[in-house]
Amino acid sequence: MEMLKRPRRLRGSEVLRKMVRETRMDKASLIYPMFVKEGSGIIEEIPTMPGQFRYSVDTQGEILSRLQDAGVKNVMFFGIPDHKDEVGSGAYDPEGIVQKALRQAKKDFPEMYLITDVCMCEYTSHGHCGVLCGHDVDNDRTLELLAKTALSHVEAGADMVAPSDMMDGRVRAIREMLDANGHYTAPIMSYAVKYASGFYGPFRDAAGSAPSFGDRKSYQMDFHNSREGIKEALMDVEEGADIIMVKPAMAYQDMITRVRDAVNVPVAAYSVSGEYAMVKAGVSLGYIEEDRIISEMAVGVYRSGADIYLTYFAPEIARLMDEGRIG
């Protein structure tokens, strides 16, 4: 049998396979999400996310140093306050936990790029992502508080802000607030395509942000929808978003591709807590090989079109790149 086309020719050696690799990855595109909380001397493992910890400001240097040594220089802060109230005042308090963590990180790790999650859910007594009117989140009243939060983060040292609340108009409100205060160069990474997902369960345990009643389906997206995600992404770009995020990542790679085709800004994808927890659970039972699964998950996201990857496995992925197993 005569065959002129043999795809296996380009799979014959490791050197050749790397030469013709279609998907390229770099540590510079990794963002590590981390949790900071009030107190001192805290390095507290998160039960639903083995290997992930909550840190106080005085101990956060341990993880930041480890990340920097691994070549991961981008982090996103999530704050866990001591005090919560109806309007989430800890989110925009100049002495709030994220603001204090930013100032210390800027002092100790000036080469790190600091990003902040901008939302109300960790700070409200009811656990919803905005101000309530009865049992509904008041979209327009929430915008001012989100903008104040973003401004307080930038003034404390944030290099970028990332609104995750899914209120209509929040990107414009934040952009106008930042610009009005002279912060024209501070980028916004919008959680534009954020689904109401069961993959967030461990995060809500980690951040203490579960809603006290109801759910978030009136503001986060229905996971049956894809065209709606494109609408959200295009609206946020129009309002001034510099980067568009898809969240979660693993079950929504079709949306990463569709968003990549629709927008002319960088696309990020967030591999969320449930994805992390499933890998850890499978590894603990001996069902899967951790490094291989981490590698396939990461490459799948980049192959789908993401430019930026937010993941709790960032240090491990950096190591796998160093070892030449991915990248």
Side-chain angles (χ1 to χ4, degrees):
M1 182 174 62
E2 181 180 354
M3 287 191 290
L4 300 178
K5 296 180 180 179
R6 293 179 180 267
R8 288 185 56 189
R9 291 191 191 111
L10 298 183
R11 303 174 195 156
S13 70
E14 182 71 9
V15 172
L16 182 55
R17 288 192 295 271
K18 288 184 177 179
M19 181 193 302
V20 300
R21 183 170 286 170
E22 298 174 17
T23 303
R24 302 289 180 178
M25 303 157 57
D26 189 275
K27 295 179 188 180
S29 65
L30 297 171
I31 300 174
Y32 179 77
M34 61 177 286
F35 302 93
V36 289
K37 66 178 295 183
E38 297 283 4
S40 61
I42 296 171
I43 301 178
E44 181 178 85
E45 188 166 28
I46 300 165
T48 52
M49 299 177 68
Q52 300 301 308
F53 298 83
R54 306 178 189 97
Y55 299 90
S56 51
V57 173
D58 62 323
T59 62
Q60 69 182 16
E62 176 176 304
I63 182 61
L64 292 174
S65 180
R66 184 157 63 91
L67 290 166
Q68 187 166 260
D69 290 345
V72 178
K73 295 187 178 181
N74 312 306
V75 298
M76 180 182 283
F77 284 109
F78 293 87
I80 305 169
D82 277 345
H83 169 73
K84 302 188 179 193
D85 56 34
E86 289 291 305
V87 294
S89 60
Y92 43 89
D93 182 349
E95 294 303 316
I97 178 58
V98 166
Q99 290 82 348
K100 290 188 288 189
L102 285 166
R103 287 192 287 267
Q104 191 64 47
K106 272 296 176 190
K107 178 182 176 183
D108 296 339
F109 297 89
E111 294 184 2
M112 298 288 280
Y113 193 84
L114 309 181
I115 308 165
T116 59
D117 177 80
V118 176
C119 196
M120 310 296 293
C121 61
E122 296 108 312
Y123 303 91
T124 55
S125 51
H126 46 75
H128 279 282
C129 298
V131 181
L132 294 183
C133 180
H135 275 190
D136 295 322
V137 176
D138 189 323
N139 188 98
D140 294 7
R141 286 178 60 205
T142 299
L143 297 183
E144 180 183 357
L145 301 185
L146 293 168
K148 286 175 61 177
T149 300
L151 177 62
S152 73
H153 289 178
V154 172
E155 290 182 339
D159 297 297
M160 178 188 292
V161 292
S164 64
D165 55 283
M166 289 298 286
M167 298 298 115
D168 294 338
R170 77 278 173 67
V171 172
R172 183 180 298 277
I174 290 170
R175 184 73 273 157
E176 290 179 351
M177 177 69 83
L178 294 178
D179 288 358
N181 286 272
H183 300 294
Y184 306 103
T185 61
I188 297 172
M189 176 166 59
S190 173
Y191 290 67
V193 189
K194 180 179 179 180
Y195 286 89
S197 172
F199 283 96
Y200 303 151
F203 176 92
R204 292 174 182 173
D205 173 54
S209 62
S212 61
F213 66 89
D215 54 42
R216 296 180 176 140
K217 292 181 180 179
S218 69
Y219 42 102
Q220 295 177 0
M221 284 178 50
D222 183 343
F223 60 79
H224 295 81
N225 297 349
S226 59
R227 292 191 301 272
E228 183 184 13
I230 304 304
K231 177 175 69 175
E232 290 276 7
L234 292 173
M235 286 175 61
D236 283 3
V237 171
E238 185 67 24
E239 291 181 13
D242 302 284
I243 300 170
I244 293 296
M245 185 196 299
V246 176
K247 179 185 180 186
M250 186 167 63
Y252 297 87
Q253 290 185 22
D254 62 318
M255 289 308 303
I256 298 171
T257 301
R258 293 197 64 182
V259 170
R260 170 71 283 156
D261 291 341
V263 303
N264 60 356
V265 300
V267 174
Y270 192 158
S271 181
V272 298
S273 59
E275 298 173 45
Y276 176 90
M278 288 194 301
V279 172
K280 286 295 186 180
V283 170
S284 71
L285 293 169
Y287 293 166
I288 56 176
E289 184 181 332
E290 184 169 28
D291 281 354
R292 292 188 68 180
I293 295 297
I294 293 171
S295 297
E296 290 182 46
M297 288 171 62
V299 172
V301 168
Y302 286 97
R303 192 180 62 240
S304 298
D307 305 292
I308 299 165
Y309 191 37
L310 294 90
T311 172
Y312 302 96
F313 286 121
E316 290 83 356
I317 292 170
R319 171 179 54 79
L320 291 164
M321 289 180 181
D322 287 340
E323 293 171 358
R325 296 174 63 176
I326 57 174

